[in-house]
Amino acid sequence: MKRKRYYIVRLAQSLITLWLILTLNFFLFRLLPGDPIRLLFSDPRIPLETLEGLRTQFGLDGTLWQQYGFYLLNTLKGELGTSFVYNTPVSKLLAERLVNTVILLFPATVLSILLGCVFGIVAAVRYGRASDFIALSLSQLLWATPAFWLGLLFMMFAGGLLPLSGMVTAGLSAPSLWERALDLGRHLLMPMITLTLVMLGQYAIVMRNSLLDVLTENYMLTAKAKGLNGLRRLFSHALPNAVLPVITLAAINLGLLIGGAIQTETVFTWPGVGRLVFEALLQRDYPVLQGAFLVISVCALLANLAADLLYSAVDPRVRA
Amino acid sequence: MQRNRVFLTTCSLLAFLFLGLNPALASQADGILRIGWNQEPRTLNPMGYDTVQAGTIMRNCLYDTLITRDENMNPAPMLAKSWKASDEGLVWTFNLIDGATWHDGKPLTSADIAFTFQYIIDNQIGNYINYLKHVQSINAPDATTLVLTYKEPIASALDDLANIYIVAKHKWQNIKGEEAAAYDNQNPLGSGPFVFQKWRKNEYLSFKVNEGYWRKKPQLKQVIFTYFASRDPMVMSLQQGDIHVIPTELTPLATKVLAKEKKLKVVQTPNLYYRHICINSSTFGQGHPALRDARVRRALAMTVDKKRLAGLIHLGFARPGLSVVMDGTPFYYGDSIERYGFNPQGAKKLLDEAGWKDSDADGIRDRDGQPLEITLLVISRWPEEMRAAEMIRDWWKEIGIKLNLQSADGGTILAELFPDYKHDMYLWGFSGQPDPNFSVLIYLSNQRGKWNGAGYENPAYDALFEEQVRAVDPDKRRELIHKMQAIHYQDSPSIVLYYMTAIGAYRADQLAGFKENVTGGLISQLYPNGLIDVHFK
């Protein structure tokens, strides 16, 4: 009963947050200096009447509140508007870019969590020894490394073995499915490794510190006293408790990363959401920005909701 | 042991498959030319394009023009094989070639050309209207003859026509004039040497050869423009062979590195492009009032050491700027105008004269209690220009002017400019044409709110412009254009910092046939034959 109520409350909270996001999203971009129509058709030779016509075409001629009303209504209908720059529906554009981003992010996230946890566990178990020191300093170093710099470093050392930009090689003559997959794989390898390494550090550090805390708990002593061996103590007593902060971190990251892999996407010219947002920002492409921020916010919201629900499954204290 | 070996073999096989199969290397045999660039066009609509990149593609791949330019930027035949002007210079008769076709196979005739010109005039197409402003009537008496009648003789008539891309009547007659500028033209129908294939925005743009091209058929089978979101990977891709050419966008630093590589050829060409500081001279805007005084502006211009800037900021791959007409068009370039050079002492005198003195001895000049403190907006995309601005700030400090620097993206700067002229000054680029008209036009008073970001107004300058438009005698026109440059130089609504060099590079070990001396880079928006003779060795 309590559990059900907890879910309902969380869901309601999420909906309110969503509305706040929508509203903020709308007004935020209108505060930016720069008229999108002027910017898009920066050629001063275009007559004023044409500009006004375009303003009407893109729905920029009404009052702010009218625009806000339209925006809420359309968003609920799933219509995110038409990009000023690409002249395509934002939903289509975002869906395409989201797939590209997920192709890059999913393997990188999974790998970085797995490797990060392994690093963290090794460091915590061998606390104070050389391997702890190495794992910890390596993690800190990676965490502090800018993705673009690491990416460039990889490019220098890949020395002609892998392509340096994009997702596909353009102009392949009639590639088979296998060739296309291979091509994608070759393009994916470097950005994926870069992103994995950059993200790995924080998981390792959080895992290590959280595990260290848990290892000093009384129930660990009890487990030892019961005569359980080291591995059993680690996997069935320590880890389930220590992993909670890692879930939180992963959830926060997931939301952020959808739009936040900009550095990696820029260095490798990966056509993901991050770059779309960055370029839309430079060109005041309001519909794309709004759409993208909405998607990113919803992703963050969902990830947090999922984390909370997962928490309540893993940690009974949360429900109580 | 056994398991280990199996594991190792599998790994090396996978590695071989993954790394060894490099599709890009195969392109040499395929005849696919891969071009790298940092900026994509926004649109390929000839009636609404606004980037050098779009112009480059239209010129070299998609479209033909009535007449064009040769390697020295002189008028050359294209769709018109010959032409003749009447004695008074009012009626121009063009003899067209026979047998040109559109990419869809339909014939390209005088009707298409007449339609294009009429469409531009009827709908006041902003991209081109200035080129046809003086045309009275357009006639196509038969399929291979076109007659243009002008209201008065116009000096730039031929070069103007080289700017207009001819569009297909059977396509464009269905597009309403008021929608022309914003039309997205997703499947451009042209008549040029390459046919549009596919555009994945922010990834690549590809063209295949036009097998039935009416002029000389190119030797390449396919041309692919690959977009790079950052510069260094683009340069590395050229080094490792994923792309074959970077037409114009190399940085000076990359140039120094690439010049050492034997398999590459680095090519420097003059570019009709300069960077300048545009000063808000308007009497109606919200800029610092001191800037309305030409003496103050001249003092600022006198205190910029352009030679040092060109050397330090662009490592010598730029020439110190002088006037608004560039040295890339030597005939009209105002090298004869009287110069003040780098002269801080003279600048101080001018400022004293204008009444700006340091009355409170705080190191900053003032008048009526208002300090001479101004703000320069610099495009954030150009970090090197921020360094230039910092040097300028130090020079100006010496003559008692406080300069604040502000980095902003292009959109923010434009919003400061139009319509209210809120800015003091901004650092911007300007891309000119072989004919000097456009370079001098941007300071006309009727261009305020359009091209004239300085808000400058000078009736004498305006009058000279109208006079040179009609000066059919080149020497006479040259004299007038020089006078305009001298006025601009003295009044300094802008400070021309440097004329830029276009630096490109290509794989000389694999390719030949690039035109290396053309204004505007290896593949230029001014010259149509950049790709025609390019072939793999």
Side-chain angles (χ1 to χ4, degrees):
Chain A
M1 211 44 223
K2 251 184 182 170
R3 189 165 187 163
K4 201 167 165 192
R5 210 182 133 195
Y6 170 74
Y7 288 154
I8 291 171
V9 169
R10 277 299 287 119
L11 218 62
Q13 282 172 341
S14 298
L15 281 176
I16 295 171
T17 316
L18 187 66
W19 173 73
L20 282 173
I21 289 170
L22 278 169
T23 307
L24 199 69
N25 204 1
F26 176 83
F27 287 103
L28 196 60
F29 293 110
R30 263 116 191 126
L31 288 178
L32 280 176
D35 173 0
I37 293 293
R38 255 288 169 211
L39 202 64
L40 187 54
F41 302 96
S42 56
D43 190 330
R45 290 170 296 188
I46 295 175
L48 231 82
E49 304 84 73
T50 314
L51 289 182
E52 288 312 315
L54 288 166
R55 225 177 281 280
T56 317
Q57 191 186 327
F58 288 118
L60 287 168
D61 54 344
T63 64
L64 207 60
W65 293 108
Q66 275 170 340
Q67 289 185 41
Y68 175 64
F70 277 127
Y71 167 71
L72 281 187
L73 209 69
N74 283 334
T75 308
L76 288 180
K77 282 193 281 182
E79 274 173 37
L80 299 176
T82 306
S83 160
F84 297 161
V85 175
Y86 292 87
N87 231 327
T88 26
V90 172
S91 45
K92 193 184 148 210
L93 205 61
L94 273 174
E96 231 179 77
R97 294 302 189 96
L98 209 56
V99 170
N100 296 348
T101 293
V102 168
I103 290 176
L104 173 62
L105 272 184
F106 184 72
T109 304
V110 171
L111 263 177
S112 62
I113 291 178
L114 284 180
L115 286 175
C117 285
V118 170
F119 264 53
I121 292 169
V122 169
V125 170
R126 323 220 88 212
Y127 174 70
R129 293 193 229 169
S131 41
D132 176 29
F133 177 74
I134 293 170
L136 190 65
S137 36
L138 202 63
S139 301
Q140 277 171 338
L141 192 71
L142 284 172
W143 196 1
T145 305
F148 70 90
W149 185 78
L150 197 63
L152 283 174
L153 219 61
F154 273 123
M155 288 183 184
M156 278 171 67
F157 291 110
L161 296 175
L162 289 167
L164 307 184
S165 88
M167 273 182 80
V168 290
T169 306
L172 288 182
S173 48
S176 64
L177 196 66
W178 160 244
E179 278 171 324
R180 263 193 276 173
L182 193 70
D183 188 48
L184 178 65
R186 288 165 37 81
H187 281 85
L188 179 63
L189 201 60
M190 267 202 287
M192 189 190 74
I193 294 176
T194 306
L195 205 55
T196 305
L197 288 180
V198 172
M199 293 193 297
L200 179 156
Q202 44 179 331
Y203 290 118
I205 291 168
V206 169
M207 187 72 216
R208 171 184 176 274
N209 293 349
S210 149
L211 192 56
L212 277 180
D213 280 349
V214 171
L215 287 179
T216 58
E217 295 280 351
N218 286 334
Y219 58 77
M220 291 311 293
L221 200 65
T222 313
K224 195 173 185 179
K226 279 199 295 189
L228 297 177
N229 70 24
L231 278 180
R232 181 94 193 269
R233 286 204 307 273
L234 183 65
F235 282 102
S236 42
H237 287 78
L239 278 182
N241 287 302
V243 87
L244 291 175
V246 176
I247 295 178
T248 314
L249 186 65
I252 294 171
N253 273 351
L254 213 69
L256 287 178
L257 269 172
I258 295 288
I262 297 180
Q263 282 191 12
T264 313
E265 288 180 2
T266 302
V267 176
F268 292 98
T269 318
W270 190 268
V273 177
R275 275 239 337 278
L276 183 72
V277 172
F278 181 63
E279 270 148 33
L281 186 67
L282 287 185
Q283 295 176 291
R284 301 289 186 279
D285 197 345
Y286 291 161
V288 169
L289 282 175
Q290 277 174 354
F293 274 51
L294 185 68
V295 167
I296 293 167
S297 314
V298 169
C299 282
L301 209 62
L302 286 179
N304 276 301
L305 194 65
D308 280 353
L309 301 186
L310 201 64
Y311 246 75
S312 74
V314 179
D315 184 355
R317 282 172 306 179
V318 178
R319 296 194 295 270
Chain B
M1 216 36 222
Q2 189 64 30
R3 252 166 94 194
N4 252 345
R5 196 172 300 161
V6 173
F7 177 71
L8 274 178
T9 320
T10 321
C11 274
S12 41
L13 255 173
L14 271 175
F16 174 76
L17 262 178
F18 222 60
L19 303 172
L21 243 160
N22 193 338
L25 292 179
S27 66
Q28 195 166 340
D30 295 348
I32 302 178
L33 181 73
R34 292 172 191 278
I35 300 169
W37 62 11
N38 267 146
Q39 236 186 313
E40 274 202 321
R42 189 179 59 77
T43 167
L44 290 181
N45 170 10
M47 298 290 169
Y49 78 95
D50 51 8
T51 53
V52 176
Q53 288 71 25
T56 304
I57 282 180
M58 291 187 197
R59 182 73 70 183
N60 287 277
C61 300
L62 279 177
Y63 293 99
D64 290 322
T65 48
L66 179 60
I67 62 159
T68 190
R69 304 186 183 103
D70 65 12
E71 289 167 64
N72 303 314
M73 298 292 118
N74 294 318
M78 191 132 193
L79 288 167
K81 58 186 175 192
S82 66
W83 54 86
K84 201 177 70 200
S86 67
D87 291 342
E88 331 78 89
L90 290 180
V91 182
W92 290 74
T93 309
F94 298 88
N95 293 312
L96 310 185
I97 53 98
D98 200 6
T101 54
W102 294 103
H103 290 159
D104 62 2
K106 296 205 169 94
L108 190 170
T109 68
S110 61
D112 291 297
I113 304 172
F115 168 80
T116 304
F117 292 172
Q118 199 62 56
Y119 189 85
I120 290 164
I121 294 172
D122 290 349
N123 301 303
Q124 296 286 303
I125 300 295
N127 267 11
Y128 302 120
I129 189 64
N130 275 332
Y131 305 130
L132 295 176
K133 210 162 59 179
H134 307 279
V135 170
Q136 186 163 46
S137 70
I138 301 155
N139 287 304
D142 61 59
T144 56
T145 311
L146 186 85
V147 182
L148 295 182
T149 309
Y150 284 80
K151 293 171 203 157
E152 52 202 324
I154 293 303
S156 59
L158 282 178
D159 197 74
D160 285 350
L161 293 174
N163 291 316
I164 303 172
Y165 299 110
I166 305 300
V167 298
K169 185 182 177 186
H170 60 276
K171 172 172 178 164
W172 281 82
Q173 65 190 357
N174 303 320
I175 298 162
K176 279 193 216 135
E178 59 267 30
E179 283 160 19
Y183 178 63
D184 65 355
N185 205 28
Q186 280 185 351
N187 282 299
L189 172 65
S191 58
F194 293 94
V195 183
F196 176 82
Q197 249 185 332
K198 191 175 189 187
W199 186 3
R200 285 185 61 90
K201 283 204 174 154
N202 282 322
E203 291 183 65
Y204 64 88
L205 179 53
S206 78
F207 299 89
K208 63 171 193 278
V209 68
N210 178 3
E211 295 289 347
Y213 189 46
W214 61 272
R215 269 187 325 145
K216 188 178 175 189
K217 194 186 122 189
Q219 302 183 45
L220 297 166
K221 291 200 175 64
Q222 215 180 337
V223 175
I224 296 173
F225 291 84
T226 307
Y227 171 73
F228 288 83
S230 44
R231 280 176 197 271
D232 295 327
M234 178 166 81
V235 172
M236 287 190 236
S237 290
L238 181 71
Q239 288 173 302
Q240 76 175 44
D242 290 346
I243 55 172
H244 302 113
V245 53
I246 298 172
T248 57
E249 295 178 286
L250 279 184
T251 57
L253 211 58
T255 309
K256 298 248 162 180
V257 176
L258 292 185
K260 290 182 194 136
E261 292 213 24
K262 285 208 177 64
K263 59 189 179 201
L264 297 175
K265 173 126 197 231
V266 175
V267 179
Q268 296 179 44
T269 65
N271 203 357
L272 293 187
Y273 177 73
Y274 65 71
R275 290 198 177 150
H276 60 164
I277 292 178
C278 217
I279 306 173
N280 186 353
S281 327
S282 71
T283 48
F284 53 86
Q286 298 161 27
H288 197 289
L291 302 175
R292 295 176 187 181
D293 188 334
R295 288 172 297 185
V296 174
R297 297 196 301 265
R298 197 184 316 142
L300 293 175
M302 284 164 105
T303 322
V304 176
D305 191 343
K306 297 171 180 177
K307 212 166 148 189
R308 265 193 82 190
L309 280 185
L312 280 173
I313 306 295
H314 292 280
L315 305 179
F317 291 98
R319 279 110 35 231
L322 175 66
S323 85
V324 285
V325 176
M326 285 162 265
D327 61 351
T329 51
F331 185 74
Y332 292 106
Y333 172 53
D335 50 356
S336 69
I337 61 178
E338 196 188 324
R339 307 176 196 204
Y340 37 72
F342 179 61
N343 183 2
Q345 290 311 319
K348 282 182 191 167
K349 241 183 261 161
L350 275 174
L351 289 170
D352 287 342
E353 250 177 69
W356 292 92
K357 290 175 182 148
D358 188 8
S359 63
D360 51 4
D362 64 347
I364 302 167
R365 286 168 190 270
D366 52 77
R367 196 179 74 184
D368 307 330
Q370 187 179 21
L372 193 39
E373 178 177 352
I374 45 189
T375 301
L376 171 64
L377 302 167
V378 183
I379 290 200
S380 46
R381 200 152 46 81
W382 295 338
E384 72 275 16
E385 300 305 346
M386 192 40 107
R387 285 179 47 219
E390 282 162 4
M391 290 178 70
I392 292 169
R393 179 183 59 193
D394 294 345
W395 288 323
W396 288 359
K397 197 177 161 204
E398 293 295 307
I399 59 166
I401 292 169
K402 181 164 187 217
L403 182 68
N404 302 313
L405 301 178
Q406 198 180 319
S407 176
D409 64 80
T412 308
I413 296 182
L414 274 179
E416 285 288 301
L417 260 64
F418 302 120
D420 297 328
Y421 287 81
K422 286 185 245 173
H423 60 295
D424 288 333
M425 48 179 63
Y426 61 98
L427 200 158
W428 203 261
F430 176 80
S431 189
Q433 287 163 357
D435 188 273
N437 256 352
F438 185 41
S439 299
V440 287
L441 168 135
I442 62 171
Y443 295 100
L444 295 182
S445 55
N446 63 15
Q447 295 298 323
R448 283 177 301 179
K450 295 178 184 170
W451 285 113
N452 189 349
Y456 177 66
E457 182 179 11
N458 183 338
Y461 185 89
D462 291 355
L464 279 169
F465 181 83
E466 292 306 320
E467 199 182 343
Q468 68 80 25
V469 164
R470 290 155 185 85
V472 185
D473 172 27
D475 289 326
K476 172 76 185 148
R477 186 171 182 221
R478 179 165 183 245
E479 200 190 308
L480 295 166
I481 296 270
H482 274 215
K483 270 190 198 160
M484 294 183 77
Q485 291 176 72
I487 293 180
H488 171 276
Y489 186 70
Q490 288 300 326
D491 279 3
S492 307
S494 72
I495 306 168
V496 180
L497 298 176
Y498 14 69
Y499 304 127
M500 308 281 279
T501 303
I503 321 169
Y506 67 94
R507 296 288 300 231
D509 57 339
Q510 296 174 24
L511 290 153
F514 279 107
K515 305 280 190 294
E516 296 184 0
N517 296 312
V518 177
T519 303
L522 281 169
I523 308 167
S524 155
Q525 68 163 342
L526 301 169
Y527 175 72
N529 295 329
L531 291 170
I532 293 267
D533 294 324
V534 174
H535 58 273
F536 285 94
K537 283 181 178 168

